[in-house]
Amino acid sequence: MLQVLCSEDDGELELSGTRQRLLVLAQLLSGNAGGCSLSEAPDPFPYERSLSDIVVHEDPERDTASIIVEEQILRIWGGRKALDLLARNIAGFASEADANHHLHLDYPACDYIAEESVPLVVAFTK
């Protein structure tokens, strides 16, 4: 199960899943393009809504990765090096982190994330 919850106030996102599903997401990011459906949360509190899909594609003209919400879709696109770094960070978190930890992926803390990106918190499904 993968789920993305969205805050309308600040645009922050929480992407959560099992270790296995987060590793599948990392593999998706390592490919050229693709997508997956997300599980919807009946009660996304403290967020306002949940998203329905993730769509990933490579843009060879970019050096960074963008993380943007468009309607019900989380779009992630960018240069191959940035997408691979994002994939490695998610895979490393999924493989090594304690179940109660989370990972912040945002600009400027992560220099491979584009400035226009929304802040993303990666966590394990509760």
Side-chain angles (χ1 to χ4, degrees):
M1 172 175 110
L2 274 181
Q3 188 172 69
V4 176
L5 304 179
C6 181
S7 171
E8 299 294 341
D9 294 335
D10 59 11
E12 182 175 290
L13 302 172
E14 179 184 272
L15 184 154
S16 62
T18 63
R19 287 183 192 277
Q20 180 182 6
R21 293 300 292 162
L22 290 172
L23 289 169
V24 168
L25 174 61
Q27 290 175 343
L28 177 64
L29 290 164
S30 295
N32 291 330
C36 68
S37 296
L38 299 168
S39 298
E40 290 195 44
D43 180 15
F45 185 80
Y47 296 88
E48 285 77 33
R49 64 187 175 114
S50 61
L51 303 183
S52 61
D53 297 282
I54 294 177
V55 175
V56 176
H57 72 272
E58 182 179 348
D59 181 348
E61 296 184 17
R62 301 206 40 184
D63 294 328
T64 58
S66 293
I67 303 169
I68 303 292
V69 174
E70 292 178 350
E71 310 233 348
Q72 290 297 105
I73 299 171
L74 176 60
R75 294 198 183 276
I76 303 173
W77 77 94
R80 175 53 31 216
K81 286 183 182 180
L83 291 175
D84 285 346
L85 187 52
L86 180 58
R88 282 194 306 274
N89 284 333
I90 291 173
F93 171 78
S95 298
E96 300 169 12
D98 289 334
N100 59 345
H101 288 170
H102 59 273
L103 172 68
H104 288 265
L105 298 168
D106 55 17
Y107 176 88
C110 301
D111 62 356
Y112 61 93
I113 302 290
E115 186 173 1
E116 75 269 7
S117 297
V118 293
L120 178 66
V121 175
V122 180
F124 293 111
T125 303
K126 296 173 177 105

